[in-house]
Structure formats: structure tokens, C-alpha cells
Amino acid sequence: MFGLLPPISYWGWTRYFLPFDETTNAIIVMTLAICLGLLQSHPDVFLPPTLPMEHKIELYSDRVVTPDGVIPALVTVYHGRIQRIARMEKKPVRPKTTTTTDDDADGKKKLVDQGETFYDFTGKVIMPGLVDLHVHLNEPGRTEWEGVQSGTRSAAVGGVTMVVDMPLNSIPSTVDVKSFEAKLKSIRKPRGRMFVDVAFWGGLVPQNAHNASILEDLLAHGVVGLKAFMSPAGTEDFDQSSVKDIKAAAASLSKFNAPLMVHAELPSENDVVSTNGKDPRKYSTYMNSRPRKWEKDAIKELIDVAKTNKIPHIHIAHVSDADTLSAIKSAKDGGAKLTAETCPHYLYFNAESIPDGSTLHKCAPPIREEENRQRLWDGLLKDEALDMISSDHSPSPLDLKHVDSGDFIKAWGGISGLQLSLPLTWTKGKERGMTLSQFAELWSTTPARIAGLGSKGSISTGKDADFVVFDPDGTFVVNDEMNPIFHKHNKTAYDGQKLRGVIHATFLRGREIYAKDVKGVRWPAWGQVHLKK
């Protein structure tokens, strides 16, 4: 290769603009040429991810979900931010100089004019991208369970534009600055693997709860808040916290105005239900081993802490027991700084319909009966005891789920559903009369507010241009040939279910990162790490 380069004597002309000898000048010029070539061929690697591919885009739909309601509108995006939302009853007529691409397989028209791109989504819904506060990406250390690439790819396909990663199930757990830096290093290198934006929870465990220096260093490095377990978490380096541990962290949380998310189950020796002699393949054997009392007792203790107002915000994770909703609502009405979430699997499934041996349905807390499911929906849409929904996407290899033996007691507890959150919620929510505005509030606006993600969560001027475009009347079957799952392990508890709400496109800061017509995500990956300031 180097034999093909001109001799050193050739480079004398470089002296007119470089003050070195011919050899040095030749090295400088060749290095610049190589860098320019790499920049041209691999812009995703060398350009900063804050620069949008397209200078300006416009999107039109007769149903754009905004804080002021669902309106026909033209949304203008400039440099990745929403610049303008113009109410418009009819889609705009483009100038004659505009060229129109052929209709793609999705029925979408894309018009291009001098650096501007126009998307016509008439008949579809444009909604803010989903913000999922409860995702286990499991990186570093357990990427055979998921990993940032497959996890964020499935998020993009599912219309989720921001995930907040849990501090456990990775190795090590994120409980101090050293472990957090290890996670950031793993996720950032190599570049180009993160399809949506990612923020992080730090872990609250007995080992750091009483050490303000450790907690405050972790919070200062940019986690959105802390996550604690009041029951065994199932991993060796993430011990369960007591109320005493939670109270000990109050000053550090207050200093950074950070929320505390809690897995609220509180087992005691008197409440442990033995599974000896019971059929481990029956779902009821597992469900009864984690009684409702565990949730009630844990939530009661958290409400008592919240009423003191010493912790700026307590967020109860994945509520499954509808019996707790009245206490949560009463505490909130009384001024307690408290919020609560539930998950799509609690809103979609019921215990009566889970087949024997179907360990893909195992999660903690467990899915409960149909009457309980109905009351959870009431808590979301009527009583407002529940504030939001998150996936609690908790994947694992199929051998850990014991799918062959169907043993619920031995199986890992966790349901994979990140990619399906939108259609799962819409399918059952529409049956209950859920509006598009409620949908956006539960999955985008409220989660962004709780996590302090100020640029996310709504279609508003100045916000990041994060959108999901979907057909609210379209249907599909989970995991058939036309609708594959992109999780690392693509077998889910929802396989074969017919769902409503077909996602046609996902936009991250004005870039189309997923399009149904190309049956996958668009490269390069353009996600960013979000660190709380």
C-alpha cells in the first residue's frame, strides 16, 4: 500500500501552507485525508450524536396528542427540538418544487425539499415517545440476558424513546460511583449500539444507605434517583433494605431532590407460605407463595415514611395488589409525596388464564385475579391512585425460566415486554374507554416528570422531538412472521396474542429511528446517555 504513495520529493508543495519538512507534511496531509474519508464513510461513529441527520422536518397528522388535547396539526422540528405546533385542519399543500417519493409499504408519503423533510401521517396518531422508567438492560455482566443493543432496539420498535435502566441484574449492581462508571463505560463502548436514550437509577442497599458520601457521590454523577427492594431481589449483591435504611437515605435524596423507587413487598417469617407438597407447575402455587399481605405491609410502611415529607418523593414500583389503592390514594390526597405505577402484564393478564407450567408469566409481585385486574384499571383511569405505567422489562435466558419443566418455584421471576408496552396498554385500555390524552399522560408525561427528564414527555415547543406514530385501529399477532420480537430472547408470555395498535414509526430528536416499512430499526443507532444535572 505504502509503495503506491508518491515519493517524499513530491510533497514539496506542502511547504506553501505547512511549516515542516516534506516528510512531516506528508504524514499530516495523509492523516487528514484518512480522517476525512472515515468521516464520510462512517458519520455515525465520528459525528457527535447531538447533530440531527436532517436539518428540519415537518410531520402532519389529523391526530397529534398534545398537552392541550388531540388536534390536527403540523409539527415542525428544527435541530432535534420541537420548534412549532400549528393547528391545521387539512394537511399542507407542498410547493411544486417538492418531489414526492413513491408511497411506501406503510402508506406513508415522504416529501423532500431543499433539506426539509415532510412526513404525512394522516390517519395515524402522533404521540410523544414512551418513557419507560423501569427497564432491566443487564449490562454489564449479564448481556446474555439482554444488553443495551437488543434492549434499546426493541424499545425503538415499540415506540419507546427513553428507558431508565435499573441498578440490579447487571454485574456489578449500580450502588456506588465505581460501579456506575463501569456501567457507563460498558454501554458507551463501542459506540453505535444505543437506539434510544438511556438514563439510570442508582441502587439503595443496606451497605450504602447509611453512608451519605457514597449516596451523594452517586447522585452527583447523574443517576435520576435511587431504587430499593424491601424483599430479596434475587441477586447476591443487591440486598433488601429496611425502613430504617430508607429513612437513613432521606437527607441525601433531599439534597439532590431525587426520587426513591421501591419494590414494595415485605415478607415476614409469619407470612411465608410453604410450597412443599404443592404442584410447582400450577400458577396458584406460586401466586399464593407471595401473598397480598406482603404488598400491603410494605406500602403501609412507605406511606408512613412519605407522610413525614423527609424524602422528596417516594415512587412505588409495579403495584399488583388492587387492595392497596385506597391507602395510596388517601395518602396522596393528604399531601404525601407519593406516586405509584403498575405494569402492562398486570393490566393484561389474570391468574385464572395462566396455563399450568407457563413460567413465562412469572413475575414479582405476581399477576393476580381478574377482579383485581379490573380494579387496577379503575385505579389508573378513574380513581387516580396509580399515576403511570412502566414495563418492568426483566428478561432472562429461557433455561432460567425453566420453560421445559414448567416449575414456577424454580423459574426466574421477570416478564419481557418492552417492545409491546404500547399495544398491550392500548388494547386493554381502549376497552376501558382510555383516551389518547390519558395514554400519553400515563406513558410519557408523568414518567418524564417523576424522573426529572425535562426535555421529554410531551409534544410541546422546545421539547425533544421524540414521537411514536401508530394506527390505533390496526391489529397484529405477537411474534408471527410479520411481527417479530427484537428482545435478545424473543419468546414472550404474549406470543400469539392479537393486539391493537400498530406502530408505524418512531422518532428520536427528529430522526426516524424505526419505520415499519423497513421492518426494523434504522442505523446508525442515535441514542444518548442522559445524566441528571
Side-chain angles (χ1 to χ4, degrees), residues 135 137 139 143 145-163 192-198 393 417-420 484-490 503 505-506 508 513-515 518-527:
V135 176
L137 293 177
E139 188 165 337
T143 51
W145 291 27
E146 189 62 273
V148 66
Q149 181 166 314
S150 59
T152 58
R153 178 178 59 188
S154 59
V157 175
V160 179
T161 52
M162 164 65 80
V163 301
R193 298 187 304 128
M194 190 162 39
F195 290 92
V196 303
D197 290 350
V198 181
H393 176 70
L418 176 58
Q419 182 178 323
L420 299 169
I485 295 296
F486 288 87
H487 307 152
K488 180 156 287 186
H489 304 283
N490 65 1
I503 297 167
T506 306
L508 179 67
I513 60 171
Y514 165 73
V518 298
K519 296 182 175 62
V521 293
R522 294 189 183 276
W523 293 84
W526 211 249

Side-chain angles (χ1 to χ4, degrees), residues 246-378:
I246 289 171
K247 289 179 178 179
S252 297
L253 288 163
S254 295
K255 182 176 179 179
F256 287 85
N257 194 29
L260 173 68
M261 178 189 277
V262 185
H263 179 122
E265 286 184 292
L266 187 60
S268 69
E269 293 182 5
N270 296 330
D271 299 327
V272 174
V273 178
S274 174
T275 58
N276 292 336
K278 298 178 182 177
D279 187 351
R281 288 179 49 82
K282 286 191 173 296
Y283 179 72
S284 59
T285 300
Y286 168 67
M287 182 181 70
N288 294 332
S289 73
R290 298 183 85 100
R292 291 175 183 252
K293 187 176 185 298
W294 287 15
E295 271 193 272
K296 290 185 181 69
D297 289 351
I299 289 174
K300 181 181 182 301
E301 291 201 0
L302 289 174
I303 287 173
D304 289 342
V305 175
K307 286 180 178 178
T308 67
N309 289 323
K310 291 183 178 180
I311 293 180
H313 181 182
I314 293 178
H315 180 70
I316 303 172
H318 45 51
V319 173
S320 81
D321 178 15
D323 289 347
T324 64
L325 298 185
S326 59
I328 293 171
K329 180 68 163 57
S330 177
K332 289 163 63 175
D333 290 345
K337 297 176 181 178
L338 187 72
T339 53
E341 69 181 39
T342 192
C343 304
H345 39 275
Y346 301 128
L347 298 168
Y348 190 88
F349 292 121
N350 60 57
E352 295 91 335
S353 65
I354 297 176
D356 289 351
S358 185
T359 53
L360 293 172
H361 289 82
K362 180 180 178 179
C363 59
I367 295 165
R368 302 199 182 276
E369 298 85 355
E370 173 62 14
E371 60 82 23
N372 186 84
R373 186 184 76 87
Q374 295 289 349
R375 286 192 289 140
L376 288 176
W377 272 112
D378 287 342

Side-chain angles (χ1 to χ4, degrees), residues 11-81:
W11 299 95
W13 57 272
T14 60
R15 286 188 167 182
Y16 288 106
F17 59 91
L18 289 174
F20 309 108
D21 59 78
E22 284 91 341
T23 302
T24 304
N25 290 350
I27 293 171
I28 292 172
V29 171
M30 287 189 291
T31 300
L32 287 172
I34 291 170
C35 290
L36 288 172
L38 289 171
L39 180 62
Q40 184 177 15
S41 60
H42 296 84
D44 56 303
V45 176
F46 295 97
L47 286 176
T50 52
L51 293 177
M53 287 283 285
E54 293 158 327
H55 180 66
K56 179 180 179 181
I57 71 167
E58 293 178 320
L59 305 90
Y60 178 80
S61 173
D62 48 351
R63 285 178 288 182
V64 178
V65 185
T66 75
D68 297 323
V70 182
I71 61 172
L74 180 70
V75 181
T76 302
V77 176
Y78 187 69
H79 281 311
R81 297 265 182 162

